[in-house]
Amino acid sequence: MKIFKVILIALLKEFCLLVFFFLVVGLSANFSLSDNEKAVTILLLTCLFLLATYLWTLKPLLKKVKTKTQVVPIKINPQDHISEKTPEPSQPSQPSQPSQPSQPSQPSQPSQPSQNTDLSTYDKSVMWAGTTKPLSFRLLSEKERRQGIFVQLEIQADGEFYFQLANPDTGELVLIKEKEITTKIQINSQLYDFVEFCRKVLKLDLKDLFEYAKRIREQAHEPFVIAEFSPITTTFTYSSSSGKQRRSVDIDQILTNKIGDFYFSGFCHLRNERRTFSPARVQTMMASEGNKKFYFHDWLREVAKVDYERQKIS
């Protein structure tokens, strides 16, 4: 139906041009001009009419009708976990032949996860897969513009957007974080910021897209237990909304979240209840009975016997 609407608008424009053309020709006939002058005038008016027809009618019509990108938006089920080991998108067309991608299906929107879905268990969710036209942009750490074809948009466990960029010559894939793109994305002569690119090029529903990313980002900050052990009574100075206070805590849990923050938890003697603490707020070295004083990450390794680097990588 959209193509018929575009053609109808083009016909109405052409009708207006014809009416205007004949009015101008009729008015020019009333002037006292020689036959040669009239012929030149009509020739000039005809050229202007043809130019206006191209610029105002044909060019916009061709621009609308011509498909800018070949995209395959996909419906997302957040329960379909995609492992980080997956090196390539599921069904992209060949990056080396961007002019012959598979025919796109009708755009569909990512389904919303239920409120009780635990998104922290997912490494990434693919929000779109397909091929765009060749494009370029600049990254934060680079002076030269990157060029390639986007074949996948995904939201990773940290709640941030990432593109898979394909080299059209070699097919090599590179993962690009959206926040590291410092310029607008250029396709031919068109420039798009990230929001415009998702809406106009990838044909995604922005409300659903950003609501889904927000939920993942919120859960990415939620701490979860990665190690439990017998309580270790530890003393340190802690900064909170109540100010700096000396705390004595029977630490028995180490926690982290999807963005790599660490926490420790245990029974707080001052508050007389279990509390969770952020190492960033610990103002002094941590002193445990029968051990030397350590800063948190050393305490984690030497006293709690938790491999910090392994937990960070995993």
Side-chain angles (χ1 to χ4, degrees):
M1 294 299 294
K2 287 185 177 181
I3 187 62
F4 292 113
K5 183 178 178 181
V6 171
I7 293 175
L8 179 61
I9 293 174
L11 290 175
L12 289 174
K13 288 181 178 180
E14 187 65 17
F15 176 75
C16 293
L17 284 174
L18 282 171
V19 171
F20 180 74
F21 173 75
F22 285 117
L23 284 175
V24 173
V25 171
L27 290 173
S28 64
N30 295 326
F31 292 100
S32 55
L33 300 174
S34 65
D35 292 340
N36 290 335
E37 290 174 335
K38 288 182 179 181
V40 172
T41 301
I42 293 176
L43 179 62
L44 289 174
L45 289 175
T46 302
C47 292
L48 289 174
F49 170 75
L50 293 175
L51 179 62
T53 298
Y54 172 73
L55 294 177
W56 197 43
T57 305
L58 292 180
K59 187 175 180 180
L61 178 61
L62 293 174
K63 187 176 180 181
K64 289 286 185 181
V65 173
K66 185 178 180 181
T67 303
K68 289 185 177 182
T69 57
Q70 299 292 337
V71 300
V72 186
I74 58 176
K75 189 173 182 179
I76 299 303
N77 184 345
Q79 295 173 346
D80 294 337
H81 173 57
I82 301 177
S83 171
E84 282 289 344
K85 296 181 180 179
T86 305
E88 297 181 2
S90 53
Q91 295 293 332
S93 52
Q94 293 296 325
S96 59
Q97 298 177 355
S99 60
Q100 297 179 351
S102 58
Q103 291 299 319
S105 59
Q106 292 297 321
S108 59
Q109 308 305 329
S111 59
Q112 291 300 300
S114 61
Q115 293 298 319
N116 58 3
T117 301
D118 182 13
L119 298 177
S120 65
T121 60
Y122 297 98
D123 292 326
K124 66 184 179 184
S125 292
V126 178
M127 307 307 295
W128 173 90
T131 56
T132 64
K133 282 188 174 182
L135 47 77
S136 67
F137 54 86
R138 184 175 296 164
L139 293 177
L140 181 63
S141 58
E142 299 179 359
K143 294 183 179 180
E144 300 296 327
R145 294 182 70 87
R146 283 283 189 105
Q147 297 184 348
I149 298 170
F150 282 150
V151 296
Q152 186 162 294
L153 172 66
E154 59 193 52
I155 302 176
Q156 294 205 358
D158 57 1
E160 300 295 340
F161 293 96
Y162 292 80
F163 285 105
Q164 286 203 24
L165 180 71
N167 185 316
D169 297 322
T170 65
E172 179 184 1
L173 295 177
V174 178
L175 196 63
I176 302 292
K177 189 175 183 179
E178 178 270 324
K179 283 192 173 181
E180 293 181 356
I181 299 176
T182 58
T183 61
K184 289 190 175 183
I185 300 169
Q186 182 173 353
I187 301 179
N188 294 330
S189 60
Q190 295 294 318
L191 297 174
Y192 304 94
D193 60 27
F194 177 65
V195 173
E196 293 172 332
F197 185 79
C198 290
R199 183 178 70 250
K200 295 181 180 180
V201 179
L202 305 187
K203 310 299 182 184
L204 291 172
D205 186 299
L206 298 184
K207 181 179 178 181
D208 290 344
L209 181 68
F210 291 116
E211 281 293 328
Y212 184 66
K214 180 181 177 182
R215 287 202 52 211
I216 296 180
R217 196 173 295 115
E218 288 173 349
Q219 292 208 18
H221 285 80
E222 289 295 321
F224 54 89
V225 177
I226 58 172
E228 292 185 286
F229 39 83
S230 298
I232 303 173
T233 303
T234 305
T235 304
F236 52 88
T237 299
Y238 193 73
S239 177
S240 66
S241 57
S242 303
K244 293 182 180 181
Q245 295 174 320
R246 195 66 178 169
R247 301 289 185 102
S248 182
V249 180
D250 298 333
I251 304 174
D252 60 1
Q253 289 182 345
I254 303 299
L255 307 91
T256 190
N257 59 23
K258 285 291 184 178
I259 60 176
D261 297 326
F262 276 87
Y263 303 88
F264 58 90
S265 177
F267 182 81
C268 177
H269 294 190
L270 179 64
R271 301 303 184 191
N272 201 33
E273 63 181 2
R274 172 175 287 277
R275 287 294 183 93
T276 298
F277 302 88
S278 169
R281 293 177 175 268
V282 176
Q283 302 294 303
T284 61
M285 300 178 81
M286 300 172 64
S288 301
E289 297 178 358
N291 293 278
K292 295 180 180 180
K293 293 181 179 180
F294 294 101
Y295 289 109
F296 173 73
H297 290 114
D298 293 329
W299 182 94
L300 197 63
R301 182 180 61 253
E302 301 296 336
V303 180
K305 305 301 181 184
V306 175
D307 191 333
Y308 162 69
E309 291 298 333
R310 177 175 296 179
Q311 294 294 344
K312 183 178 179 181
I313 293 172
S314 62

